[in-house]
Amino acid sequence: QVQVVESGGGLVQAGESLRLSCTISGPTSLNSPINSPMAWFRQGPGKEREAFSCITQAGQYYADAVKGRFTISRDYAKNTLYLQMNSLKPDDTAMYYCAAVRFCTTRVSDISHARHDWGQGTQVTVSS
């Protein structure tokens, strides 16, 4: 059973930075979700959960709303996904989730399914 644990959220002021982490654990077979591309999703107040960044061994993908401010990275040896968030805005306030996904695409919002149960997420709150 693959599990993910997100951490690093908090309360910050607009313009500040946060770094989120996500550890993934479970079976490591070739077809395991651990060996899949991974994505960050977020769910703001009253909104649907939506992917905004994705990473494969070939590259990184970002939604326009976060492009230039957020950076996704992955340490394969540690099975850990990261999200460096700079220049945070109140609109970034959301619960943040990570997930192994079947594919990445330039239309990151088209990524909708995780290959495992969702983790508990980590809350990011940005005050103005």
Side-chain angles (χ1 to χ4, degrees):
Q1 184 81 7
V2 171
Q3 291 185 323
V4 293
V5 178
E6 303 93 344
S7 62
L11 171 63
V12 296
Q13 293 188 332
E16 294 185 339
S17 300
L18 278 175
R19 188 191 194 209
L20 305 185
S21 298
C22 162
T23 57
I24 182 168
S25 60
T28 57
S29 62
L30 188 61
N31 295 324
S32 168
I34 283 182
N35 297 314
S36 297
M38 291 199 72
W40 283 101
F41 296 72
R42 64 185 181 182
Q43 185 170 16
K47 298 180 180 179
E48 297 289 321
R49 181 160 45 200
E50 186 173 70
F52 62 88
S53 186
C54 192
I55 186 168
T56 70
Q57 291 190 342
Q60 302 84 41
Y61 303 80
Y62 300 95
D64 287 344
V66 305
K67 196 174 295 182
R69 300 187 298 123
F70 291 9
T71 302
I72 189 172
S73 62
R74 184 172 182 177
D75 186 327
Y76 288 90
K78 294 182 179 179
N79 286 332
T80 302
L81 180 72
Y82 300 100
L83 183 70
Q84 178 66 41
M85 305 188 294
N86 298 329
S87 302
L88 282 161
K89 305 175 181 179
D91 283 350
D92 295 317
T93 294
M95 186 69 80
Y96 285 68
Y97 302 88
C98 65
V101 295
R102 294 202 177 275
F103 62 89
C104 287
T105 176
T106 52
R107 284 185 56 175
V108 182
S109 59
D110 286 348
I111 304 168
S112 59
H113 292 91
R115 291 193 62 191
H116 49 76
D117 292 340
W118 292 98
Q120 298 212 339
T122 187
Q123 177 69 37
V124 172
T125 303
V126 184
S127 63
S128 57

